[in-house]
Amino acid sequence: MSEDARVYGGQPPEEPAPRLASAVQWLIAINVAVYFFQLTVLKPSDVQFALGFQTKNLGHQWWTIGTYMFVHGGFWFLALNMYTLWLFGPRLEQKWGTREFLRFYLFCGLGGWFAHLAFVPGDSLLIGASSAVFGVMLAYASLWPDEQLLVFGVIPATVRWLVVFAAALNVVGGISSTGAQGGVAYLAHAGGLAAGWLYLRMTAAVNLDRLRESVSPV
């Protein structure tokens, strides 16, 4: 047994996460490309209303249930989401695999859409990747809760408490506001966190790895 295996209790240590995993790379590229089209080829409002979700369009613009996750209302909104995805996504994708990571990401995005549909009155526009990104943060915290990070390279934070703070901020913001206050869809963010928690609970109960192993010979 190698020295590394002895140190880690008989299990080899995890390899360091790639700087940019494939799914994370594509997600960032698509979001940036859509924002580029907003600024150059088409009007931002045209892109937002074509790909963003509004309750009145549920019957005939069904694709907006998913495409809203790739549209942003401004540069800093996009930059913060993509930075957070870059910070937490690659290691999680390496741990789970690309398919599982994408499945989780989209599930959290749909959770944000459902929370917006169910709890936000009126017909406000829902755009942004925040719901899915909050789910990624939650999954990262469930696997590496005590890891120390330097947010923006300056602010020290433990992953667990960073996610707790983000969750509390969005729940309080959602309760105290209606719709998207100041352009922030607090309840959709909380929905992404709730969907991530539900997904993690379901997969823990089912144990997908063992299920795959048992059905793969068949």
Side-chain angles (χ1 to χ4, degrees):
M1 184 181 296
S2 67
E3 182 65 27
D4 286 341
R6 288 197 298 273
V7 171
Y8 285 82
Q11 297 294 329
E14 291 186 53
E15 295 181 3
R19 191 169 184 83
L20 201 59
S22 59
V24 174
Q25 183 177 356
W26 276 106
L27 288 170
I28 292 176
I30 293 171
N31 278 276
V32 171
V34 171
Y35 188 70
F36 175 79
F37 275 101
Q38 289 181 221
L39 296 181
T40 57
V41 180
L42 302 170
K43 293 181 180 179
S45 58
D46 291 341
V47 177
Q48 291 169 9
F49 283 102
L51 301 180
F53 174 76
Q54 288 182 291
T55 305
K56 66 180 181 181
N57 296 329
L58 185 60
H60 56 278
Q61 285 187 253
W62 54 266
W63 60 85
T64 59
I65 294 173
T67 57
Y68 90 87
M69 291 181 268
F70 301 96
V71 190
H72 290 82
F75 172 78
W76 291 113
F77 187 20
L78 170 71
L80 182 59
N81 276 333
M82 295 304 100
Y83 171 75
T84 307
L85 181 59
W86 169 82
L87 188 64
F88 296 104
R91 189 177 180 188
L92 190 61
E93 182 183 346
Q94 184 186 52
K95 177 76 173 179
W96 285 354
T98 297
R99 288 186 179 181
E100 188 70 19
F101 175 81
L102 283 175
R103 189 179 297 117
F104 176 80
Y105 183 90
L106 295 174
F107 186 83
C108 293
L110 290 176
W113 162 79
F114 182 78
H116 180 86
L117 178 67
F119 300 114
V120 177
D123 198 38
S124 59
L125 181 67
L126 176 64
I127 56 176
S130 299
S131 299
V133 170
F134 270 102
V136 171
M137 288 176 60
L138 177 67
Y140 193 101
S142 72
L143 291 169
W144 304 285
D146 298 318
E147 182 170 295
Q148 298 286 329
L149 293 176
L150 285 177
V151 182
F152 304 117
V154 177
I155 306 170
T158 302
V159 174
R160 175 193 286 117
W161 292 111
L162 182 64
V163 173
V164 168
F165 173 77
L169 180 66
N170 280 277
V171 170
V172 172
I175 292 173
S176 61
S177 66
T178 57
Q181 183 169 329
V184 180
Y186 290 109
L187 288 175
H189 300 174
L193 283 166
W197 177 84
L198 180 63
Y199 188 100
L200 293 171
R201 289 295 299 269
M202 289 190 305
T203 53
V206 174
N207 197 331
L208 291 179
D209 289 336
R210 291 183 182 176
L211 181 62
R212 292 191 190 99
E213 290 175 2
S214 63
V215 301
S216 61
V218 180

